[in-house]
Each structure stands twice: as structure tokens, then as C-alpha cells.
Amino acid sequence: MNTIGLIAGVGRLPVEFARAARGMGFAVIAIAVAPGVDSELAQVSNKYYTVGLGELDRLLALVKQEAVQKITMLGKVTKEHLFSGVARPDARMQKLLAGLNDLNDDTVMLALVREFAGEGIGVLDQTELIRQLMPAAGVLTQRQPTPEEQADMEFGLAMARQIGGLDIGQTVVVKNRAVLAVEAIEGTDACIRRGGQLGRGGAIVAKAAKPNQDMRFDVPSIGPDTLQAMIETGAVALVIEAGKTLVVDKQQVIACADNNGITIAAI
């Protein structure tokens, strides 16, 4: 049986991947690297380990112990942990970070990819086994966007691509062709809440891939938490990039959107 290593952060995406991979005959060795990883991951993986955030030596040792040659990295691990004290980088991670010109997402992730490669470990395209989670173009929900919402969607997606090109974030919140919030280190859900509150209802959320998206890490995704943040602040529509965004728990997401009058469109 082929074996895949799954370096897991927070959210349902690692669970979806583990289920899909095992359904295709792969053995999944899951290694949780952040606080709050979904407890179901241990049940749907062949083996499950936990590693402290920043314990790079121990992470690599486990991967090699299990004779894993290919890994994927899925789930939320925000840089906020670096500043909050949750992450305690070991000597190897400290050396890696000290050698970087900046701590932008792509800079850090590419450095990790090179570190894995130096140990003979390849990093897979995140979507290789779960491309069915990426919807094609079209409106996913019952409610179609109004002309005003459609204009905001197109404007928001263009803005999201711009911040993605600067490696700042993937999400913006807009209303009446004005940007209310831009995602940075706080993550998508916090960005939605901040922008939605400023918009006082009727805001549009846009999420886009980076113009030169590396599919090995940080592929855009949405899920039930995204919808919950929108509902809390009265946001009315979500636009994503068709064929470039993973939708986790798709049926639940669409049902939640329909029950709350929210439009979701893939463009």
C-alpha cells in the first residue's frame, strides 16, 4: 500500500483528504502540528501523531520513521502563533526562519518545501486527491446574485487577486465597490467578521488564489466556519475562483447558505 504523510492544521480539510486518500487505497500517516486539529482526523487516518508547532526536527523524524516519501500540508496554521508564543521553534526551525528575508507565507512555506526536499521528501499538490472539492463556474446556491451583488463580486475578486499577488492574504470584504477589510495574519474568518461589522449588513466576501499560486500549499478553501462568520455579520454573498478553491463539507455549506439567503458563486 502506498503511504502519504499528512501534515495537518486546523479545520475539516485534513479529514476530507484522509478519507479520500484511504478510499483510493493509500495509507495516511497524519501528523497534527497545530492546536485544535479536528479530533476526527485520528479516526480516519492509519496512524496519528501530534507534534508541537515549530518542532521541525521531530516532524521530520516521524516522517522518516514511517518511511513516508510524499507528504501534503493541509489545514490552517496561522502565523499568529509565531507572535502569540504558542509556537516554540526548535533549533532547526529557528535556523530556517533566521535565514529568510521575510516571513511572508510563500517565503516560509517554500523554505519548508526545500527542507523536506533536502531529506528526500516530496510535497504533493494539495488538490491532487481532492479535486472534486473544487467547483466549476456557476452559482452554487438557490439564490442568484442581484446585479449590484454581481458587480461587488467581480470587484472583490479583482481586489483579492491583488492582495494575493502581494502575498498578504486571500480574502477581502467589500460593499458598494469599496473595500471594507483585507485578510492578513488574522485569517479569513476574522477578516469577514471585521469587514461585515463595518458594512452593517449586505457585505460581499471574495476569496481568490494568488496569481502564481503554488498548489503545494495555501490553496484557497472555504467551509462551514466561513459561512458562520458571514451569518454573524449579515454578509449576503460569497464569491470564489472556479476550479481554484476547495469547498469543504460542500453540502453543509450550500444548505447553510440557502437557509440564510446567502449567495455563493464560483467565477
Side-chain angles (χ1 to χ4, degrees), residues 201-217:
I204 309 296
V205 177
K207 186 155 193 167
K210 297 170 185 175
N212 297 307
Q213 181 71 49
D214 191 320
M215 301 303 284
R216 294 173 296 182
F217 52 82

Side-chain angles (χ1 to χ4, degrees), residues 38-190:
D38 195 310
S39 59
E40 191 178 346
L41 183 59
Q43 302 168 28
V44 298
S45 303
N46 295 82
K47 290 188 180 181
Y48 179 83
Y49 299 96
T50 60
V51 170
L53 191 58
E55 293 181 346
L56 183 55
D57 255 332
R58 183 161 179 259
L59 172 62
L60 288 166
L62 282 172
V63 171
K64 289 190 281 188
Q65 172 188 306
E66 294 294 339
V68 171
Q69 295 181 318
K70 295 286 186 181
I71 65 166
T72 190
M73 300 182 285
L74 288 164
K76 187 186 302 182
V77 182
T78 66
K79 286 186 300 187
E80 182 183 357
H81 295 312
L82 289 174
F83 300 100
S84 66
V86 172
R88 297 186 180 277
D90 61 16
R92 186 166 187 169
M93 180 63 87
Q94 289 180 36
K95 181 179 179 181
L96 181 149
L97 295 174
L100 304 179
N101 292 327
D102 58 62
L103 294 182
N104 286 342
D105 291 344
D106 281 3
T107 305
V108 174
M109 296 306 296
L110 284 170
L112 286 171
V113 168
R114 290 193 296 269
E115 199 78 5
F116 286 125
E119 298 290 341
I121 302 162
V123 178
L124 296 172
D125 174 338
Q126 287 185 321
T127 70
E128 189 160 326
L129 303 185
I130 50 174
R131 291 201 176 109
Q132 72 276 11
L133 301 183
M134 306 176 85
V139 177
L140 308 183
T141 49
Q142 294 176 3
R143 188 174 77 80
Q144 298 289 315
T146 66
E148 293 78 15
E149 290 169 352
Q150 183 71 31
D152 267 351
M153 285 179 168
E154 293 171 1
F155 172 80
L157 207 54
M159 294 297 101
R161 291 182 179 124
Q162 289 290 325
I163 68 163
L166 295 171
D167 199 15
I168 294 172
Q170 300 173 326
T171 306
V172 298
V173 181
V174 304
K175 184 176 180 180
N176 298 331
R177 271 84 63 207
V179 176
L180 302 175
V182 173
E183 178 192 7
I185 199 169
E186 81 281 24
T188 299
D189 298 343

